[in-house]
Amino acid sequence: MIVVTGATGNVGRLLVETLAAAGEEVTAVSRRISAADVPDGVRTVQADLARSDGLKQVFDGADRIFLLTSGEFMAAGGDVAEIVAAAGGARIVLLSSQGVGSGRHAPAFEEAVKAASPEWTVLRPGGFASNAFQWAPAIRAGRVVAAPFGDVALPVIDPADIADVAAAVLREPGHHGRTYVLTGPEPISPRRQAADLGEALGEPLRFTELTEAEARAAMSEFMPPVVVEATLSILGTPTEDELRVSPDVEKVLGRPGRTFAEWAARNAAAFK
């Protein structure tokens, strides 16, 4: 049985659907989840991983786990070691971050999983294509995209590709002890993302470049300060590793990752 944590998020939801379609026995875990959120036959468990009580129930019977933690998990004092202990020897696929490899994020979660789990695989995605959803209200209201560092291009990844890689790693042998960096197939700037979204909508969008101060003020409305600064640093002054297209999606899946234009075409309805 495969336990998928974060099962209602951009990656977890798609992963649950993929695993269920493949005939796997799946338990979907989230703080807020119901049977309506998952395909028929998928067991659901409402749980907060930051609370140690109840973890045994969450992972009972699991032989494989997709583990997604968050900034909220960290803020609540969540302990990955407790989760790994509750998992009872299950194979763990950890959704980490490319920022661990570049030194922007602490490696504590990865180290805890590697130290305590008999079998582990780490996935380190870069920026998500789905971050463009933050532009949806402004696009719907005025056909405008406002973002900082308009011409800095990063290889953002489609969450569907992360889910496909996770499904492959969970279902296939040969991935134990490996760390995969997951990016899209090409670097793309915010200005070009706006153009691709306009193409998907069938009408051009206006791009407005925010100053760093304007972006900081906007991000601070929904992000803690440390996350704001890390995000601005990646967007404005990415490292060579953060600029590089990784071969790992194609290595695992046997095909290139999806482009941002493909993601935009598939999600155009959210911007109308």
Side-chain angles (χ1 to χ4, degrees), residues 129-141 144-148 189-194 197 205 207 210 260 270-271:
S130 54
N131 289 344
F133 281 136
Q134 67 186 302
W135 299 332
I139 290 175
R140 288 194 296 263
V144 62
V145 170
S189 67
R191 195 183 306 275
R192 165 105 176 275
Q193 289 181 44
L197 283 166
L205 303 180
F207 181 82
L210 299 176
F260 181 84
F271 299 89

Side-chain angles (χ1 to χ4, degrees), residues 114-130:
K114 292 175 182 178
S117 175
E119 290 189 35
W120 55 265
T121 306
V122 172
L123 308 183
R124 290 179 177 172
F128 287 20
S130 54

Side-chain angles (χ1 to χ4, degrees), residues 5-262:
T5 66
T8 56
N10 287 323
V11 175
R13 176 178 53 81
L14 297 172
L15 177 57
V16 168
E17 292 172 358
T18 298
L19 293 173
E24 296 284 355
E25 182 184 356
V26 182
T27 293
V29 180
S30 181
R31 285 177 300 176
R32 297 177 186 85
I33 194 168
S34 70
D37 297 317
V38 298
D40 291 342
V42 172
R43 172 179 170 244
T44 60
V45 175
Q46 282 191 337
D48 184 346
L49 297 185
R51 296 172 58 91
S52 57
D53 56 306
L55 286 180
K56 271 289 201 190
Q57 176 199 358
V58 171
F59 299 115
D60 185 39
D63 63 334
R64 289 158 289 169
I65 296 168
F66 176 75
L67 181 58
L68 182 155
T69 57
S70 65
E72 289 147 341
F73 176 91
M74 295 171 65
D79 187 345
V80 172
E82 285 188 345
I83 294 174
V84 174
R91 175 157 39 118
I92 294 179
V93 176
L94 174 68
L95 188 65
S96 182
S97 165
Q98 187 181 20
V100 174
S102 64
R104 296 187 188 273
H105 299 151
F109 283 0
E110 290 189 11
E111 290 172 352
V113 168
K114 292 175 182 178
S117 175
E119 290 189 35
W120 55 265
T121 306
V122 172
L123 308 183
R124 290 179 177 172
F128 287 20
S130 54
N131 289 344
F133 281 136
Q134 67 186 302
W135 299 332
I139 290 175
R140 288 194 296 263
R143 290 300 188 250
V144 62
V145 170
F149 314 113
D151 297 306
V152 177
L154 294 166
V156 299
I157 184 164
D158 189 327
D161 284 329
I162 303 173
D164 286 348
V165 169
V169 169
L170 286 162
R171 302 187 69 227
E172 300 169 357
H175 301 286
H176 168 52
R178 296 181 181 271
T179 296
Y180 295 118
V181 176
L182 308 181
T183 72
E186 60 179 355
I188 181 168
S189 67
R191 195 183 306 275
R192 165 105 176 275
Q193 289 181 44
D196 284 350
L197 283 166
E199 185 77 20
L201 292 168
E203 58 181 300
L205 303 180
R206 180 167 56 89
F207 181 82
T208 299
E209 184 161 8
L210 299 176
T211 66
E212 185 170 340
E214 289 170 334
R216 180 177 288 106
M219 291 178 178
S220 296
E221 293 181 7
F222 58 92
M223 289 182 181
V226 64
V227 177
V228 170
E229 296 309 317
T231 301
L232 287 172
S233 181
I234 293 169
L235 295 177
T237 54
T239 66
E240 287 187 14
D241 284 344
E242 289 160 348
L243 291 167
R244 186 178 299 120
V245 172
S246 169
D248 288 351
V249 169
E250 188 163 7
K251 184 186 299 182
V252 174
L253 299 179
R255 62 161 178 82
R258 299 170 176 92
T259 65
F260 181 84
E262 291 175 290

